[in-house]
Amino acid sequence: AVPQSNVYTISPRETDDANNPISEGRIGEVFRKKGLDVDQIWSDSTKFNFSTLLPIDVAYIDGNHAYEFVYKDLENTSKVVTKAIIVDDYIPSKNSPRGDISVWGPWNKSVVRATDDFLWHHKNVFSQAYWIEETPVCVLVK
């Protein structure tokens, strides 16, 4: 993270209907440990009005792993991102590097399918897309 970065995280509260809950105290902790300010937005990302945010250089998506949520997160963030989106938990199959039983599951199928479908249906939004082998990361470059 860059020290002059503005960091926003969007997450529903623990008590909301989230399929991948994280305790409120842990949200943004990686960025706070680096001395960055974190602006926490308490919302369901599929319902949040992204147009209220300033343009964002890079977005990192690691949220609800259901297909509909991943696809909607890509739709919403692609409208405000100027450089790239990083998608976490993108592991194409259990036979892929990093696809061992400890990290690969049905949630990865939804993340991969939603990302691939989004790229297919929005061919002009990103100039390049890379799965970084041996990681659970896919990078979409504007």
Side-chain angles (χ1 to χ4, degrees), residues 97-98 131-135 137:
R98 286 290 308 259
W131 170 49
I132 302 175
E133 247 185 286
E134 299 191 26
T135 77
V137 172

Side-chain angles (χ1 to χ4, degrees), residues 4-63:
Q4 63 272 24
S5 295
N6 294 325
V7 177
Y8 301 93
T9 64
I10 300 174
S11 184
R13 294 198 180 272
E14 278 183 276
T15 56
D16 290 344
D17 187 24
N19 82 339
N20 190 20
I22 183 170
S23 69
E24 291 180 16
R26 293 205 50 222
I27 294 173
E29 76 179 334
V30 171
F31 301 108
R32 284 192 298 280
K33 284 181 181 178
K34 295 191 176 288
L36 299 173
D37 290 327
V38 176
D39 291 315
Q40 177 59 51
I41 299 166
W42 295 112
S43 179
D44 176 328
S45 63
T46 64
K47 297 174 183 166
F48 180 72
N49 181 0
F50 279 73
S51 69
T52 62
L53 299 175
L54 295 173
I56 296 170
D57 289 338
V58 177
Y60 186 89
I61 298 176
D62 184 18

Side-chain angles (χ1 to χ4, degrees), residues 68-85:
E68 297 78 15
F69 282 84
V70 177
Y71 197 96
K72 188 70 171 173
D73 284 347
L74 286 165
E75 278 185 327
N76 287 330
T77 54
S78 68
K79 294 173 186 171
V80 295
V81 163
T82 61
K83 296 182 180 170
I85 295 177

